[in-house]
């Protein structure tokens, strides 16, 4: 499969397995993943466009504040993974809280151990998958370390890469605090 | 991926209840990854799975079948996984099975009534059959998830609306819950003869079975059960309606969890046996 053909299956994995795995146990989470390979402003620098981006807006049940996290996923097709891809994901990390490299691997194209080492040392997350269409065939080998992008960078990223409807939804949830009162709603 | 439609012309025969226990038992006891798609704008099975606050949250986060359908209007539509609520069941045991079994839900929303009417109008204006269009769209999106789920269960609204016809059209197996009384049995006959054969012209490859909810046992129900046995593939045992079933249908809070035996209590064994037979019928 070509890289662009992998976006949709990886998007399904992020929706069905990855985003739920970062959901607070008792709290609330709104998450949305979009293909951002071609989104963004031209001329704003090299390696600033993760192939997929996930935004999660979440809060714990007994915590008063909402948090926003940005995740980027750099997807590589079979046989196209290299150390350069790690640096690409690392560079994207300056705009994100978490940066992941997602690699399609099989028996003929196994994971190069140097890639895994490099991901670990740079705090880049590493995901491999053998069957892209089966979300249960994905392995999170390395968890990404949390980066500290500036608030302006976060605003810029969301403003320039996510769809207008997503941005409106995020704004609305921030305004309302994303509280769904269980008592009043069950009446 | 097997597709099952829980459908009947008549309301109040236990379609959503059956969807709940069939999906939970098939996931838990047969280690299947199940996706329930609530096609019914009444949202009963969504409420049973998620609780009222869970449905409110799904609506607020725009993760319902209504929002998925709305994306149809915007061109090619969006990936179905975006609208799915994962880990929808409140059974501890299903969560513990991890990737070996799952139960996810595409919740419904009452706004689907409005959407359906408008969708029908636009299709008829263009001289198109709305259920054909909708089922083609949904099937195309389900193909992307065919390796993510072993079974998709459609909880269809009563009647023969576009949403019901869509679920039936896509299904490999149709499960019709019914009640053994004169009216329900006659309605089931109309559903199979007029709906499935004459309107939808379903081919013989679509399998159909009937399951029964018993409100009470008397001579009439015995006669009706025999009539159902003669005419249909009746999967038994019948589920007696009781306070245990009513309790099983209620999820008070979104994060509340319970064990299978706590949920179904005295009805647990019957529900499990019936679901096992339906599972075997679906996968035969």
């Amino acid at each position: 499969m070509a890289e662009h053909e992998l976006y949709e299956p990886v998007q399904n994995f992020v929706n069905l397995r990855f985003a739920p795995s970062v959901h607070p146990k008792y709290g609330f989470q709104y998450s949305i993943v979009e293909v951002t390979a071609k989104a963004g402003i031209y001329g704003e620098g090299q390696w600033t466009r993760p192939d997929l981006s996930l935004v999660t807006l979440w809060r714990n049940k007994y915590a008063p504040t909402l948090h926003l996290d940005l995740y980027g996923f750099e997807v590589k097709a079979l046989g196209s993974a290299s150390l350069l891809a790690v640096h690409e994901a690392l560079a994207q990390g300056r705009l994100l809280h978490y940066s992941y490299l997602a690699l399609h691997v099989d028996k003929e194209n196994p994971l190069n151990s140097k890639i895994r080492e490099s991901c670990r040392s740079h705090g880049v997350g590493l995901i491999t998958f053998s069957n892209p269409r089966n979300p249960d065939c994905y392995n999170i080998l390395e968890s990404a370390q949390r980066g500290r992008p500036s608030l302006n960078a976060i605003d810029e990223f969301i403003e320039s890469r996510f769809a207008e409807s997503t941005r409106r939804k995020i704004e609305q949830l921030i305004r309302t605090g994303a509280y769904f009162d269980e008592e009043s709603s069950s009446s | 991926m097997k597709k099952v439609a829980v459908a009947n012309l008549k309301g109040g025969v236990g379609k959503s209840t059956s969807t709940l226990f069939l999906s939970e038992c098939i996931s838990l006891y047969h280690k299947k990854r199940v996706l329930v798609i609530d096609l019914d704008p009444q949202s009963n099975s969504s409420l049973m799975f998620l609780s009222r606050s869970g449905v409110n949250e799904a609506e607020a986060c725009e993760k319902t079948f209504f929002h998925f359908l709305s994306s149809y209007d915007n061109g090619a539509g969006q990936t179905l996984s975006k609208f799915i609520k994962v880990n929808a069941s409140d059974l501890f045991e299903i969560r513990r099975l991890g990737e070996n079994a799952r139960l996810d839900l595409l919740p419904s929303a009452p706004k689907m009534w409005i959407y359906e009417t408008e969708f029908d109008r636009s299709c008829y204006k263009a001289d198109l059959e709305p259920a054909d269009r909708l089922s083609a769209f949904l099937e195309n999106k389900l193909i992307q998830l065919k390796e993510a789920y072993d079974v998709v269960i459609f909880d269809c609204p009563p009647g023969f609306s576009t949403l019901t016809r869509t679920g039936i059209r896509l299904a490999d197996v149709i499960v019709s819950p019914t009640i053994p009384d004169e009216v329900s049995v006659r309605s089931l006959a109309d559903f199979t003869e007029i709906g499935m054969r004459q309107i939808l012209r379903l081919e013989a490859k679509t399998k159909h079975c009937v399951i029964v909810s018993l409100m009470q046992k008397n001579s009439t129900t015995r006669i009706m059960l025999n009539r159902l046995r003669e005419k249909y593939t009746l999967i038994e045992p019948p589920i007696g309606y009781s306070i245990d079933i009513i309790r099983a249908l209620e999820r008070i809070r979104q994060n509340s969890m319970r064990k299978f035996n706590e949920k179904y209590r005295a009805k647990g064994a019957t529900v499990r046996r019936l679901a096992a037979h339906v599972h075997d019928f679906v996968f035969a």
Side-chain angles (χ1 to χ4, degrees):
Chain A
M1 284 171 97
E3 189 180 301
H4 69 92
E5 291 172 316
L6 290 169
Y7 294 163
E8 190 172 280
V10 176
Q11 197 174 4
N12 288 337
F13 159 74
V14 176
N15 278 324
L16 299 175
R17 300 288 183 271
F18 188 89
S21 75
V22 296
H23 194 298
K25 190 174 176 187
Y26 296 105
F28 159 84
Q29 179 177 287
Y30 168 76
S31 61
I32 193 153
V33 56
E34 288 186 3
V35 177
T36 48
K38 289 185 178 162
I41 303 160
Y42 282 93
E44 65 180 349
Q46 230 188 342
W47 293 344
T48 58
R49 293 173 195 171
D51 295 319
L52 300 171
S53 300
L54 165 73
V55 59
T56 63
L57 197 63
W58 59 276
R59 64 167 167 73
N60 286 98
K61 187 174 178 180
Y62 299 110
T65 49
L66 269 175
H67 305 270
L68 186 143
D69 283 336
L70 279 172
Y71 297 75
F73 299 87
E74 186 58 34
V75 180
K76 291 292 169 197
L78 267 181
S80 63
S82 65
L83 283 175
L84 196 66
V86 181
H87 291 281
E88 200 174 340
L90 181 64
Q92 288 158 5
R94 68 190 189 275
L95 309 168
L96 306 157
H97 294 102
Y98 301 96
S99 188
Y100 277 85
L101 186 58
L103 307 179
H104 189 189
V105 293
D106 66 3
K107 279 181 187 166
E108 282 77 42
N109 302 277
L111 174 67
N112 180 340
S113 61
K114 281 185 183 166
I115 292 179
R116 185 166 182 175
E117 267 172 43
S118 181
C119 281
R120 191 183 300 150
S121 63
H122 291 301
V124 171
L126 179 62
I127 298 166
T128 59
F129 50 94
S130 49
N131 177 359
R133 297 214 173 270
N134 185 348
D136 295 313
C137 283
Y138 286 66
N139 292 309
I140 302 174
L141 299 179
E142 300 291 340
S143 291
Q145 282 172 21
R146 191 180 167 84
R148 296 174 71 183
S150 71
L151 295 176
N152 280 334
I154 293 169
D155 274 353
E156 181 66 44
F157 191 90
I158 293 174
E159 195 66 27
S160 59
R161 283 160 183 84
F162 281 90
E164 196 193 336
S165 58
T166 305
R167 299 199 307 265
R168 265 207 319 267
K169 190 78 232 167
I170 294 170
E171 278 185 81
Q172 185 199 343
L173 289 169
I174 290 171
R175 253 199 326 273
T176 60
Y179 276 93
F180 304 96
D181 186 354
E182 301 205 0
E183 300 306 325
S184 60
S185 61
S186 61
S187 59
Chain B
M1 181 199 274
K2 290 281 184 188
K3 286 171 253 160
V4 179
V6 180
N8 195 343
L9 202 59
K10 192 173 178 302
V13 289
K15 287 185 292 298
S16 299
T17 308
S18 305
T19 301
L20 179 79
F21 73 74
L22 287 176
S23 60
E24 290 192 324
C25 289
I26 288 172
S27 172
L28 177 58
Y29 293 111
H30 301 274
K31 310 280 184 289
K32 295 286 193 292
R33 296 168 302 168
V34 181
L35 171 65
V36 173
I37 300 184
D38 189 357
L39 294 174
D40 189 349
Q42 289 182 82
S43 316
N44 289 338
S45 55
S46 300
L47 290 166
M48 290 173 194
F49 278 113
L50 301 180
S51 78
R52 170 62 67 188
S53 62
V55 172
N56 288 350
E57 187 178 308
E59 280 199 62
C61 291
E62 299 180 352
K63 296 200 173 197
T64 71
F65 193 69
F66 166 77
H67 294 98
F68 166 68
L69 289 179
S70 302
S71 80
Y72 176 85
D73 295 335
N74 309 329
Q78 294 178 17
T79 174
L80 190 65
S81 65
K82 180 182 165 185
F83 304 92
I84 291 172
K85 166 76 184 164
V86 301
N87 296 326
S89 171
D90 62 354
L91 292 181
F92 272 121
E93 294 96 325
I94 294 180
R95 299 277 175 102
R96 283 206 198 110
L97 287 168
E99 66 186 50
N100 296 317
R102 311 202 137 257
L103 210 177
D104 298 346
L105 171 74
L106 182 48
S108 176
K111 281 185 211 160
M112 269 159 55
W113 268 312
I114 304 165
Y115 180 88
E116 190 181 25
T117 312
E118 285 172 4
F119 183 76
D120 284 355
R121 199 178 297 143
S122 69
C123 287
Y124 289 130
K125 213 183 234 178
D127 206 17
L128 294 163
E129 157 58 24
D132 282 351
R133 285 188 74 188
L134 202 53
S135 53
F137 173 62
L138 186 53
E139 187 164 34
N140 190 30
K141 295 293 168 188
L142 280 171
I143 287 170
Q144 297 158 5
L145 296 177
K146 73 174 179 190
E147 292 186 52
Y149 295 102
D150 303 308
V151 189
V152 176
I153 300 179
F154 302 104
D155 182 16
C156 300
F160 223 65
S161 66
T162 297
L163 290 165
T164 302
R165 296 200 308 280
T166 299
I168 294 173
R169 253 193 208 293
L170 290 172
D172 307 301
V173 177
I174 298 160
V175 178
S176 296
T178 191
I179 299 168
D181 61 35
E182 188 73 45
V183 176
S184 304
V185 171
R186 205 173 42 215
S187 170
L188 182 63
D190 290 343
F191 175 72
T192 50
E193 289 305 319
I194 302 171
M196 286 168 55
R197 301 223 166 83
Q198 293 177 30
I199 299 178
L200 287 181
R201 298 200 174 118
L202 290 185
E203 297 166 30
K205 68 172 186 180
T206 307
K207 298 198 288 182
H208 181 222
C209 68
V210 173
I211 58 176
V212 169
S213 301
L214 267 184
M215 299 294 177
Q216 54 186 337
K217 261 184 190 169
N218 54 37
S219 58
T220 313
T221 57
R222 273 191 287 276
I223 293 166
M224 289 300 153
L225 273 173
N226 284 333
R227 205 186 283 177
L228 288 169
R229 281 188 193 106
E230 282 165 20
K231 208 170 169 195
Y232 305 99
T233 306
L234 182 67
I235 297 191
E236 300 192 65
I239 299 285
Y241 206 69
S242 72
I243 189 72
D244 290 334
I245 291 291
I246 295 169
R247 283 202 182 117
L249 305 182
E250 195 178 8
R251 189 171 186 178
I252 313 273
R253 284 176 190 277
Q254 212 186 141
N255 294 312
S256 60
M257 300 290 288
R258 48 189 165 168
K259 290 179 181 165
F260 183 84
N261 287 339
E262 290 167 358
K263 183 165 185 171
Y264 291 100
R265 298 179 185 220
K267 290 290 167 193
T270 318
V271 155
R272 192 176 162 180
R273 203 142 44 98
L274 177 63
H277 293 154
V278 172
H279 169 270
D280 294 346
F281 183 75
V282 170
F283 283 90

